[in-house]
Amino acid sequence: MSPPPPPLGRGRKRAAQAFDAALDDAELVSARAALAQGRWQAVRSLLVHTGDDWDRRGHRVTVLAEEPHAAPWVRDWLLAEPESADASVLLGMCLVQRALRGKERPERAREACRAASALAPADPTPWLGLLLLERTLGAEEDVVRLFDEVRLRHPDHHHAHHLMVAALAERHAAAGPDPLHEVYDFANWAAEQAPADSPLAILPVVAHAER
């Protein structure tokens, strides 16, 4: 789940600086540090043990891909294990992050994610990578299509639903408050569809915050 906002006042800047996208995932923090030093074997072990916990896998892959020098080390991993779906998925996300920073051509990121999806057809993570990319660089219909691809593989995908809420909330933003805005319909629908203990239950609150 998304962390609470930093406190108001002087502490806000310090709290923002202290925020770590890895949250309290100690195994992820350790693997990320190893990857920064070129020890990709720790990442391989982490992703193997993550298995098909798709929400956790999506979070871990996204955080690992944000490591500035991750892509070259993941390419080394792929040279050693060319058929590794985990390495392919992580490389795709790395290139997405680089494309979002303007350091990679978006089409190369798209190609890498599509290649990863071919190696891991049941995994929603390559489609999450594409959704992250098109959320910023693509057309509205692409965002909807990619969200559907994620949901086809994991209907309650936490990160993908938050991205869709954010994208929908931006529509007609200049018009000001609108209690009938479509983002509220989407958030309520998603919350109703999700299991009772799902973090998607808070999506209506997130929708109000995004608006």
Side-chain angles (χ1 to χ4, degrees), residues 29-82:
V29 171
S30 177
R32 181 180 59 186
L35 182 62
Q37 299 171 2
R39 293 184 284 116
W40 50 262
Q41 294 85 351
V43 173
R44 177 180 61 184
S45 178
L46 177 76
L47 295 182
V48 166
H49 286 96
T50 305
D52 61 358
D53 183 343
W54 300 127
D55 283 316
R56 185 180 297 272
R57 179 177 171 86
H59 176 245
R60 286 177 163 178
V61 169
T62 302
V63 171
L64 289 167
E66 291 172 352
E67 168 60 39
H69 305 293
W73 298 124
V74 178
R75 286 193 174 98
D76 283 353
W77 178 7
L78 271 172
L79 285 174
E81 300 179 358

Side-chain angles (χ1 to χ4, degrees), residues 2 6 16 22 27 42 44 57-58 60 65 72 77 85 94 102 132 138 140-141 154 157 160 162 165 170:
S2 301
E27 293 177 331
R44 177 180 61 184
R57 179 177 171 86
R60 286 177 163 178
W77 178 7
C94 285
L132 280 164
E140 188 175 288
E141 57 268 24
H154 180 39
H157 201 288
H162 276 255
V165 165
E170 292 173 358

Side-chain angles (χ1 to χ4, degrees), residues 62-166:
T62 302
V63 171
L64 289 167
E66 291 172 352
E67 168 60 39
H69 305 293
W73 298 124
V74 178
R75 286 193 174 98
D76 283 353
W77 178 7
L78 271 172
L79 285 174
E81 300 179 358
E83 300 304 315
S84 171
D86 286 344
S88 183
V89 169
L90 180 54
L91 180 61
M93 190 68 81
C94 285
L95 297 189
V96 165
Q97 296 292 347
R98 286 179 56 80
L100 292 173
R101 295 195 297 266
K103 297 181 179 298
E104 184 63 78
R105 290 190 297 110
E107 190 51 42
R108 288 194 64 186
R110 294 182 183 105
E111 290 171 359
C113 287
R114 287 194 288 264
S117 70
L119 283 176
D123 187 353
T125 313
W127 299 98
L128 175 66
L130 288 168
L131 180 59
L132 280 164
L133 186 68
E134 306 305 351
R135 160 84 173 81
T136 299
L137 302 178
E140 188 175 288
E141 57 268 24
D142 292 329
V143 172
V144 174
R145 175 179 58 83
L146 292 167
F147 175 69
D148 288 342
E149 291 285 357
V150 173
R151 286 196 75 249
L152 181 66
R153 292 158 177 82
H154 180 39
D156 304 320
H157 201 288
H158 184 202
H159 195 167
H161 279 80
H162 276 255
L163 287 171
M164 281 302 296
V165 165

